[in-house]
Amino acid sequence: MKSFFKNFLVFLLVFLVVASLFSIFTNKTDQPENILMSDFVNLIKDEQVSEVVVSGDEINITLNSGDKKITKKEMGESLSSLLNNFEVDSEKISKMDISIQEDDGFASFMMSLLPFLIPFLLVIIFLYFMMKGVTGANSKAMMFGQSQAKEFDGNQKNKTTFKDVAGAKEAKQELSEIVDFLRFPKKFHDLGAKIPKGVLLLGSPGTGKTLMAKAVAGEANVPFFSISGSEFVEMFVGVGASRVRSLFQKAKKSSPCIVFIDEIDAVGRRRGAGLGGSHDEREQTLNQILVEMDGFDQNINIIIIAATNRPDVLDPALLRPGRFDRQVVIDVPDLRDREEILQVHAKKKPLAKDVELKQIAQRTPGFSGADLANVLNEGAILAARQNKKVVELVDLFEAIEKVMIGPERKSRIISDEEKKITAYHEAGHALVAHFLPNSDPVHKVSIIARGQAGGYTLKLPLNDKKLYTKNYFLDEIAVLLAGHLTEKDIFGEVTTGATSDLRRATSLARRLVTDYGMSDKLGPRTFGEKEEMIFLGREIHEQRDYSEKVAEKIDEEIAQIMKEGEKRALEVLNTKREYLEKIVKVLLEKETIEKEEFDSLLIE
Ligand code: ADP
Ligand code: ZN
C-alpha cells in the first residue's frame, strides 16, 4: 500500500511538470487579435492585408501596418471559394501573399485529443493500480498449494536469542546442541555423525515453544520458517501435501535453516484412528512431511523443530529415528523461572519501587510464560487507565486475578438477597479450605463478580506442586462442595450458583478412580483408553476398555468419594459455624477480604 502511494505521488508530480511545460510552450504570449470573418473581408477590400497564411481552419493575417490578426474559417472550405462567396475582387486577392501552410497534422491532432486523453489515461492508471492490488489478493487465493510459511531472516537486527527466553535451562542446554549443528556442520560430518533432522518441543500452550525455536534460529544465525500444522489442513484434499512440498522447497533454497511446525498434532495424529473425511487429508500431509524428512540428504542442513502439547496423540511414525527423534520438554515455569520471565517482560515497563517481581511469581503458580507476559501487560494497562506514571503492586495483583478468572464486573447489579447467598457460598468455600489440613491456604475471598463467576475464593499453594495425594484431592472436593452445602444449610435450598463447582468436583472424583488409581476398591489401574478420534470435527474421547459391571463400580466409587468430600466439608461447617458468620459479615460490608484480614478473622 505504501509503495502504491509512492508510485502515485511520483506519477502525479511528473504529470504536473509535463502539463505546466506544455502550457508554457503552447501559450503564445503575443496572441494575435481574433477578428470576425466579415472584418477580414473588409480589410481585404480596404487593401490593408499584406499576407495571409492558412493553416488548417485558421487564417493568420498580417496587415500592412505589421499588425497580426487571426480568424477562423469552416474546416474544409477553401480560402478562394470563401473569398468568392464574399465577392472579393480577384485583383485584390492577387495583391496579397497567400500561403497555405500544411497543417501540422500530428501536433494539432494531439492538441485536440489531449483533453480527452488525459482523463482517460488517469482512469487507466488508476485501474491498473487497483487491479494490481486485487490480483495480489486474488493470486493468494489461487495459490492454495503454496506454503504460507512466514520467514524470518536469521540475520535481522533484533533477532530472538536464548537471552530472550527466561528459565527453561535444560531445554536451552539441549537445544544449544542444535545450534552447534547448524553453525559447524562440518565438525560433525567429519566424524561421520548424522545430524538430527527433527526436534520435538513438548509443552503446554504459552510455555514459549515458538519463542524457543526462534531463539535457536537466532543463536545459529540462520533463517527461520514458521508454519502452523492447522494451516496444512484445508478444505481441499491434497492442499496440505503440496504445501509441505513447497515449504521444503523454499527451505532447501535457504539451507542451513530452521523450519518450525507449530501444532504438529493437527496433522501428526496417529493414523488410522480417525473417522470421516478430514482424516484422509491429514494422512496425506503427514506422509508428505515424512517423505520430505527422509528425502533430503545429509549435506542439506535443515532442522525441523515441531511443537505440540499432545505428544500422546502423535503418530509413532513421526517419532522414529531419523525423524523427530529428539524430544525437548518445556515445562510450565517454576517459581524461579516465573520471576525470570517476569524480569524479561518488565524491562520496558516502569515499575513502582516497591514492586518485587518475586511477589508476583509467588502468586502465579501454574501460569505459563504467555500468562505472565499478559499479567505485566494488563497491569500496565490498568495503571495507564488511572493515569499513573509507574505500574504499582496493586495493579499487578489485580492483573493476576483478571488473567486467572476474568475481568471484574463491579457494575453488575445484584439484589441484596443474591449478595447474601453469594457471601455465604464463598464464605463456605473459604472456611472449609482454611480448616482442612491438605487444602491450599486462602488468599482472597470476594463477592464481586469476575468473568463467569459470581464470587470467588482464591487459594494459593505454599510451594509449586508437581505431585498430589489422595487426601489433597479429597479436601479439594470438600472445598468445592462447601459452597453448595452452606447454601443448603443456611437457606434450606440450593441455587444454580454451584453448578460449575459440582461439575469440577465430580470430574475430579472420576479422575481419582479412572486415571490416578486412587480407589481402594478398583485398585491401581486406569480405565478407558484415551484414544483421540475426530468425527465430524468433534473429538471423541475415551474408549471403554472395561465391562458394564466395572462401569457400575466406577460410578459407585465416584459417589463414595463425593460422599467422603461432603463429610469432610460438613464437619468443618458444623463445628466452625461462628467463623462462617464472621466471614459473611465482613464480606457483605467490604465485598473482598485479603489474606491477612482473613487469617486474623479466624484466629480469635
Ligand atoms: P507456545 O508456542 O509454547 O504456545 P509462545 O512461544 O508463543 O508459546 O509464547 C508466547 C509468549 O509468551 C512469548 O511471545 C513470550 O512473550 C512469552 N513467553 C513464554 N515463555 C517465555 C519465556 N520462557 N521467557 C520469556 N517469555 C516467554
Ligand atoms: Zn462456588
Side-chain angles (χ1 to χ4, degrees), residues 348-361:
K348 281 183 213 131
K349 298 188 176 68
L351 299 180
K353 284 208 184 66
D354 63 329
V355 172
E356 272 193 56
L357 290 175
K358 186 162 191 166
Q359 280 176 287
I360 311 296

Side-chain angles (χ1 to χ4, degrees), residues 158-184:
N158 43 8
K159 61 183 179 186
T160 313
T161 62
F162 281 155
K163 259 201 237 100
D164 301 302
V165 189
K169 288 211 178 53
E170 290 87 2
K172 272 193 222 170
Q173 234 161 38
E174 293 199 35
L175 288 170
S176 59
E177 207 173 280
I178 302 292
V179 174
D180 256 10
F181 290 141
L182 286 167
R183 289 177 71 174
F184 314 107

Side-chain angles (χ1 to χ4, degrees), residues 211-403:
L211 190 71
M212 191 65 104
K214 254 187 221 168
V216 172
E219 289 283 334
N221 232 342
V222 299
F224 176 78
F225 295 90
S226 137
I227 192 161
S228 171
S230 54
E231 282 170 60
F232 286 132
V233 186
E234 286 275 352
M235 263 190 306
F236 307 109
V237 175
V239 169
S242 87
R243 276 197 183 154
V244 172
R245 230 170 293 135
S246 97
L247 167 66
F248 279 93
Q249 248 164 30
K250 249 198 224 171
K252 275 178 204 160
K253 271 183 213 144
S254 19
S255 151
C257 68
I258 281 187
V259 173
F260 178 67
I261 306 180
D262 206 357
E263 301 173 49
I264 188 137
D265 44 292
V267 288
R269 275 164 199 274
R270 208 166 290 146
R271 283 173 292 184
L275 304 163
S278 75
H279 133 261
D280 245 6
E281 166 68 352
R282 277 201 350 250
E283 198 161 291
Q284 281 192 23
T285 309
L286 178 57
N287 281 339
Q288 191 62 40
I289 292 180
L290 297 180
V291 165
E292 293 286 351
M293 283 187 83
D294 294 342
F296 49 76
D297 51 49
Q298 279 298 318
N299 42 34
I300 290 182
N301 203 354
I302 301 176
I303 290 182
I304 304 153
I305 300 183
T308 181
N309 58 339
R310 313 281 326 265
D312 50 318
V313 303
L314 287 184
D315 195 300
L318 270 175
L319 308 176
R320 275 218 297 272
R323 292 168 179 170
F324 292 102
D325 47 4
R326 280 175 190 243
Q327 299 180 8
V328 177
V329 176
I330 301 194
D331 257 332
V332 173
D334 61 12
L335 181 66
R336 205 167 25 128
D337 285 355
R338 285 202 298 276
E339 196 180 339
E340 281 178 32
I341 294 174
L342 286 166
Q343 268 158 8
V344 167
H345 289 278
K347 259 180 206 152
K348 281 183 213 131
K349 298 188 176 68
L351 299 180
K353 284 208 184 66
D354 63 329
V355 172
E356 272 193 56
L357 290 175
K358 186 162 191 166
Q359 280 176 287
I360 311 296
Q362 274 164 346
R363 282 198 177 207
T364 48
F367 273 43
S368 69
D371 292 334
L372 293 170
N374 197 10
V375 164
L376 281 173
N377 191 45
E378 288 289 346
I381 289 173
L382 285 171
R385 265 210 239 149
Q386 297 165 54
N387 299 321
K388 292 183 190 168
K389 289 276 175 289
V390 289
V391 184
E392 289 171 5
L393 205 56
V394 280
D395 303 320
L396 292 173
F397 283 166
E398 169 68 23
I400 292 174
E401 278 164 43
K402 192 171 173 190
V403 171

